[in-house]
Amino acid sequence: MSLCIITSAVTVKSKYVAIQDSIIREHEYITAISKLLNISALSSVIICDNTMYNYNNNPVFKDLVTKSKINIEVLYFQGSNKEIYEYGKGYGEGEIMKFIFDNSKLITNYSSFYKITGRLHVENFDYVIKKSLNQSTLFVRTAFSLNYERNFIKTFFYKMDVELFKEKFINQYLKVRDDENIFLEHIYFNTICENKIEINFFKAFPNVIGVSGSTGGLYTKNFFLKFLVNKIYSFLNIK
């Protein structure tokens, strides 16, 4: 069975985040989490917030937990507000991941994990998991050619080996500088290249819906476009 990590920042402290209203953000997080807790292929979920927001105090969330068969671990802490405001949301996300690896009990039971940005949901998550069971480090494709064409890797959703993350990625967020256009996506890409890390792309295209943290734009249910993308994925026979 599989583990998914959800990163959360209900009360944002970054000038690089479009939607800053904590009530709206809370609603969007709960909506996405409610869908995730219905994924049958997931056995555990870790939810971690870096703004001291405790999901266990939310009555809607508590109701979801009672109805779910998934093991759920809720973590929260106060992130580095000054650095997150100055360097960007990727810095905050990196702090969340480090806090999880330093404090989570659930993660010690798994050799790999899926990570998703909190206000997003993968509609076909069960199928994505089914198609990626034998691979431990996977990313969403950034281009349709078989070669790297851009110097970044998408980080809103990925799967990674636990030991690999601890060894190579856990402190990379310290290099994030949004104001210099050095984003977590670039840093992870450079980490992969510099360490010659072998990665693969998801065989099944993740149908992501929800709200983008950077722009506030929607990942929509554009079924025709997603149908075409899935067909291209199949045609390329991604390893």
Side-chain angles (χ1 to χ4, degrees):
M1 297 297 280
S2 302
L3 165 70
C4 183
I5 290 173
I6 304 170
T7 55
S8 164
V10 172
T11 308
V12 291
K13 299 294 182 183
S14 172
K15 57 187 173 183
Y16 302 101
V17 173
I19 298 176
Q20 307 225 0
D21 188 311
S22 59
I23 295 175
I24 294 174
R25 293 176 67 85
E26 178 189 46
H27 173 73
E28 290 170 348
Y29 280 119
I30 294 294
T31 299
I33 290 168
S34 68
K35 295 175 181 176
L36 192 75
L37 295 182
N38 287 318
I39 304 301
S40 60
L42 287 177
S43 54
S44 296
V45 166
I46 299 169
I47 305 167
C48 186
D49 184 270
N50 68 341
T51 67
M52 288 301 291
Y53 180 85
N54 183 356
Y55 281 91
N56 288 324
N57 293 333
N58 183 298
V60 178
F61 178 80
K62 286 197 284 188
D63 186 54
L64 292 172
V65 171
T66 20
K67 294 175 181 175
S68 177
K69 296 179 180 178
I70 294 175
N71 295 319
I72 303 164
E73 182 178 40
V74 174
L75 300 172
Y76 56 96
F77 69 105
Q78 183 56 65
S80 305
N81 289 341
K82 181 178 179 295
E83 286 78 6
I84 294 169
Y85 182 82
E86 184 176 350
Y87 300 139
K89 67 182 184 63
Y91 190 101
E93 170 143 328
E95 272 197 328
I96 293 172
M97 294 300 293
K98 188 172 191 316
F99 186 87
I100 290 170
F101 273 77
D102 288 345
N103 296 278
S104 171
K105 295 178 181 177
L106 272 183
I107 202 164
T108 59
N109 300 327
Y110 291 86
S111 59
S112 64
F113 63 92
Y114 294 86
K115 175 264 160 188
I116 189 163
T117 301
R119 292 182 297 151
L120 301 179
H121 173 64
V122 179
E123 286 191 308
N124 60 336
F125 209 155
D126 275 316
Y127 184 64
V128 169
I129 291 173
K130 179 182 176 183
K131 298 292 285 184
S132 61
L133 287 176
N134 298 322
Q135 295 173 302
S136 60
T137 303
L138 297 161
F139 288 87
V140 177
R141 209 171 174 80
T142 57
F144 292 127
S145 75
L146 295 179
N147 300 313
Y148 289 107
E149 289 190 354
R150 308 176 184 181
N151 64 341
F152 71 91
I153 197 98
K154 293 183 179 180
T155 60
F156 60 81
F157 178 65
Y158 59 83
K159 181 182 183 183
M160 192 174 293
D161 179 86
V162 166
E163 292 304 317
L164 175 64
F165 188 87
K166 287 197 288 190
E167 183 182 347
K168 300 295 184 185
F169 290 87
I170 196 163
N171 290 314
Q172 293 300 317
Y173 73 94
L174 295 169
K175 301 174 184 176
V176 169
R177 297 292 185 274
D178 279 13
D179 58 341
E180 299 174 28
N181 292 321
I182 303 172
F183 303 113
L184 192 65
E185 291 84 350
H186 299 123
I187 292 163
Y188 275 22
F189 178 88
N190 291 337
T191 301
I192 290 165
C193 294
E194 289 166 5
N195 293 280
K196 297 181 171 58
I197 297 169
E198 183 179 347
I199 67 163
N200 291 286
F201 299 104
F202 286 107
K203 287 185 177 180
F205 179 75
N207 292 333
V208 176
I209 60 170
V211 183
S212 165
S214 301
T215 66
L218 294 176
Y219 291 83
T220 63
K221 293 186 176 183
N222 190 329
F223 292 116
F224 179 68
L225 177 59
K226 289 180 177 179
F227 172 78
L228 289 178
V229 171
N230 274 291
K231 287 299 181 185
I232 293 170
Y233 256 59
S234 300
F235 176 76
L236 289 175
N237 190 25
I238 300 169
K239 295 181 180 181

